[in-house]
Amino acid sequence: MHAWSSHTRVGSTSVQAELISLGHNWLIHNPNYRSVRVRYEAIPPHHRGLTAAEVAVEKIVRVLVQANNVCAAIVPCLYRAQGESTDFLSVVLHVTTLNVEVMEMVHLMRSTIPVHLYIGEPLTASTPFEVYSPEKLVLPERIYPGDPIFCSGTERVTVFGAYLHSTGDDGALYGLTAGHAVVPHSGFIPHPRLLPHTEKKRRRMRSSQLALHQLGLPLSNPAVKVVERAIQVGEAERVMLCTEENLAAGARAVSPTTDQRNLTRLRQHDLEHAALLDSLTRPHEYDVAHACAAEAIIRPCNNCNRRSTGSNSLHHEKGKHKATGEDHTHLLSWTLVRIAPRTTHADNPVTLRAHPGTLEHGAAVAMHVRDPNLERPLGPFRDGVVNGAAASVVLGVHVAREWAVFPAPGRNGARFAVRGDAGALVTAVRESGRDEGGTEAPLAMLYAVPERGPYGLVTPLTTVMRRIRDVTGLQLRFQGNWWRDEYG
């Protein structure tokens, strides 16, 4: 038995209950467990079991593509299980899909690497208004990177990633988030006009601006509908507070200190409630930007410096992996917004003061999400590691190779990101001793998260910025006017 396939030791009793064998080295997460306690970590880029894992991924992808109607995300990673005396790591394939018929196809996808199957949406991005939790809604004076950004046209919430400055003389201020902020559906669908008639030409197809959504939809922080829900929740909460206080007063004598504390809570609640009501008289002040351009598409890519799954598409030179230049596709999701003039400030203090860096496999990264939505149990600060292998996303007959970021080892949370985090900026880990006022180098933007997966899918900022330039013609940079050096 290979060292990377020691899957016979499934782990502790609780984990054994979570993973049910389907045979042929496939295991499915027990649907009776709403939360996932199984721990996964990024696989190092030079792990000795990675080659076998990539071969297994290629076999599974080939079968799923032939099915022609499957949407799934597959990524090699490490599975942390509990042994009798200590934890141990083994290589597994993490699969997320909503197509339950995959369970009937496992005999066609017998794997040398254990496959952990999760039933869920493989690509979630934005949070619909109806499930957004408004209990901690605040009315910010200015939108900061990591804040939620609301699109009333699609009734979806994503994360505002960063400010962008135009190099032109107009001094316009732009912003960056994920494409799903202004796209009503959550999936990636190739534009019909992008699909050639023949399979041979389809393999050579290029992207087109026909897939571009030129939209003028306003984006706000917050949205009117969410504020109205927050007011309703606040009114119900006040009734509950008054009821609890009356019951306590009737049951026993209340000390002056407790009584004062209850009065303070009610007074604070009433002030917040009044502020929300007053803001509804000026709903236009919620709008912080307008969408200029956005994409959420499957895009062919001929020049890719990432590792491509499958041993036949790789050359090994001096321990490094080099793509052969074969055509493949990847997912591209971004939204460029123009910040409203009233919120524009010269040399905005929340603008990044660092050039975009290069995303690398195995690199330690961080992400900051300021959204107080109660759906986010992970906290605002996230530590992660770029996976050493690409995630393979199957969308019908299309296969995309994507960057994946897993939670850092030893981190309390079992996930790096959750639904609604799309648009958040992924940065390098801050170096010790960096000058005060500096900023971690921005590396990528999160655009999707599997519903039951531990990782997030990201796109390098160099790719996003180059695509924005090609589509819009705008020369944008993260730095304000104080940066006089040329932006590369």
Side-chain angles (χ1 to χ4, degrees):
M1 179 178 295
H2 296 290
W4 58 82
S5 59
S6 55
H7 56 279
T8 54
R9 299 179 296 172
V10 177
S12 63
T13 304
S14 61
V15 174
Q16 282 182 331
E18 285 197 49
L19 297 173
I20 302 174
S21 176
L22 295 175
H24 307 286
N25 220 1
W26 281 66
L27 301 99
I28 186 173
H29 184 260
N30 192 334
N32 293 327
Y33 288 84
R34 295 187 59 186
S35 61
V36 179
R37 293 174 293 178
V38 185
R39 300 285 179 146
Y40 300 94
E41 297 178 7
I43 186 171
H46 302 293
H47 192 282
R48 60 177 178 173
L50 189 53
T51 300
E54 289 185 329
V55 172
V57 169
E58 185 178 11
K59 178 180 179 180
I60 294 173
V61 167
R62 186 163 53 246
V63 173
L64 296 182
V65 169
Q66 291 175 353
N68 199 24
N69 61 347
V70 174
C71 180
I74 311 161
V75 57
C77 59
L78 297 180
Y79 159 53
R80 179 175 293 276
Q82 296 178 354
E84 297 179 357
S85 58
T86 183
D87 293 354
F88 65 93
L89 295 171
S90 59
V91 179
V92 300
L93 304 183
H94 188 287
V95 179
T96 305
T97 182
L98 277 175
N99 300 89
V100 295
E101 60 268 23
V102 170
M103 291 187 293
E104 301 176 358
M105 302 164 56
V106 296
H107 66 284
L108 302 174
M109 300 179 288
R110 182 188 298 272
S111 175
T112 58
I113 303 296
V115 182
H116 291 190
L117 175 63
Y118 289 79
I119 302 300
E121 172 61 49
L123 296 173
T124 65
S126 52
T127 302
F129 278 9
E130 61 266 20
V131 299
Y132 187 86
S133 302
E135 285 86 348
K136 294 185 178 181
L137 188 69
V138 294
L139 302 174
E141 296 181 359
R142 179 186 302 170
I143 186 170
Y144 289 85
D147 281 348
I149 189 165
F150 301 76
C151 181
S152 298
T154 59
E155 297 192 353
R156 291 184 176 273
V157 189
T158 55
V159 172
F160 180 75
Y163 283 101
L164 296 173
H165 292 262
S166 172
T167 59
D169 298 331
D170 57 352
L173 187 63
Y174 294 86
L176 183 65
T177 183
H180 293 297
V182 289
V183 178
H185 53 78
S186 60
F188 289 81
I189 303 177
H191 195 284
R193 296 183 184 179
L194 294 180
L195 300 178
H197 299 294
T198 64
E199 183 65 26
K200 181 178 179 181
K201 292 183 178 180
R202 183 172 299 180
R203 290 195 299 266
R204 299 179 180 178
M205 65 182 180
R206 295 184 177 181
S207 185
S208 170
Q209 293 188 15
L210 291 174
L212 175 70
H213 297 267
Q214 291 284 4
L215 302 173
L217 294 177
L219 284 88
S220 60
N221 187 20
V224 172
K225 182 174 290 189
V226 177
V227 174
E228 292 173 345
R229 286 187 57 215
I231 292 175
Q232 296 174 357
V233 171
E235 292 173 347
E237 184 179 353
R238 192 182 196 286
V239 172
M240 182 180 65
L241 290 175
C242 293
T243 302
E244 291 178 354
E245 183 179 4
N246 293 336
L247 291 176
R252 62 185 185 278
V254 180
S255 66
T257 302
T258 303
D259 185 59
Q260 182 62 34
R261 183 167 56 249
N262 292 337
L263 290 176
T264 301
R265 289 177 59 191
L266 286 174
R267 190 179 301 112
Q268 179 66 25
H269 183 278
D270 291 341
L271 289 175
E272 295 174 354
H273 186 73
L276 291 177
L277 286 174
D278 181 66
S279 70
L280 281 180
T281 63
R282 303 180 302 277
H284 63 279
E285 294 184 359
Y286 295 160
D287 294 340
V288 294
H290 285 77
C292 305
E295 284 184 317
I297 62 171
I298 306 172
R299 180 173 180 263
C301 179
N302 296 326
N303 297 319
C304 178
N305 58 2
R306 287 175 296 171
R307 173 187 294 183
S308 178
T309 301
S311 58
N312 294 332
S313 61
L314 296 175
H315 290 308
H316 298 274
E317 294 183 2
K318 297 181 180 180
K320 296 184 179 180
H321 298 271
K322 182 179 180 181
T324 62
E326 295 182 359
D327 291 353
H328 68 279
T329 59
H330 72 107
L331 307 181
L332 193 61
S333 176
W334 57 268
T335 298
L336 181 68
V337 301
R338 180 159 181 157
I339 305 300
R342 66 176 182 82
T343 60
T344 300
H345 300 275
D347 291 348
N348 196 297
V350 295
T351 301
L352 293 176
R353 303 192 182 192
H355 290 298
T358 302
L359 195 64
E360 298 180 352
H361 292 294
V365 296
M367 187 173 72
H368 182 205
V369 178
R370 294 164 47 93
D371 191 349
N373 180 12
L374 292 184
E375 185 189 17
R376 307 175 189 279
L378 304 181
F381 298 98
R382 321 282 176 78
D383 295 320
V385 176
V386 182
N387 199 42
S392 297
V393 182
V394 178
L395 297 170
V397 298
H398 297 275
V399 181
R401 316 295 185 188
E402 302 298 308
W403 293 88
V405 178
F406 278 76
R411 187 170 170 271
N412 292 330
R415 307 186 67 180
F416 177 73
V418 294
R419 178 185 61 182
D421 285 341
L425 203 66
V426 176
T427 66
V429 174
R430 178 182 289 274
E431 299 176 3
S432 59
R434 173 166 287 192
D435 294 339
E436 191 67 26
T439 306
E440 302 90 335
L443 300 177
M445 182 177 68
L446 183 86
Y447 70 87
V449 178
E451 184 180 0
R452 307 299 297 277
Y455 58 91
L457 298 175
V458 304
T459 302
L461 282 177
T462 51
T463 301
V464 175
M465 298 297 290
R466 183 168 54 248
R467 181 61 180 164
I468 291 176
R469 180 196 61 195
D470 294 344
V471 169
T472 67
L474 294 172
Q475 295 287 344
L476 301 175
R477 64 183 185 183
F478 289 96
Q479 295 76 35
N481 293 333
W482 59 82
W483 281 73
R484 301 302 180 185
D485 56 323
E486 183 178 356
Y487 177 74

